[in-house]
Amino acid sequence: MSGGAFYTVLAVGVLSGTPALEPLPLTDNNTAPASGKAKLRLVHAAAKVPGTNGAVDVYITAPGADISGVSASISGFKYKEASPRKEVAAGDYQVRITLPGTKTVAIDTGKATLAAGKIYTGIALDTTGSTFQAVLLTDN
């Protein structure tokens, strides 16, 4: 880590069990998006998604879009991996995270609105038991 840079640090893993709880430092690129755009970075921090060997597929679509006939936006997205920040048109999106190579949805964000000029980090997380959720943070 160097002076003058910005970072996000997430705690990933589980408190007691495997994988062990550990920090996941991410370097932030907070350069403003182009006019009418937002920036989005995704982070796979869900350690316990069953049957995945740590990898999932990610579909970023318009809300309610059918994913049965489309390719994943990110394939083989591994646990503790972060996508680069990507500029997208401001607007409404839905992110669905599926078991790898399938359309079986493990996490569904529902409608997420990305505002122009904003920078976001979307994080897939474990919750209690075998459920999962997504959190969308506004970074600026």
Side-chain angles (χ1 to χ4, degrees), residues 36-38 86-93 114-116:
K37 303 275 186 173
K86 180 179 179 180
E87 277 196 356
V88 296
D92 295 333
Y93 292 89
L114 304 182

Side-chain angles (χ1 to χ4, degrees), residues 3-30:
F6 293 93
Y7 300 93
T8 298
V9 179
L10 304 175
V12 298
V14 294
L15 286 173
S16 57
T18 304
L21 193 64
E22 65 180 309
L24 177 61
L26 305 169
T27 303
D28 295 338
N29 174 352
N30 291 329

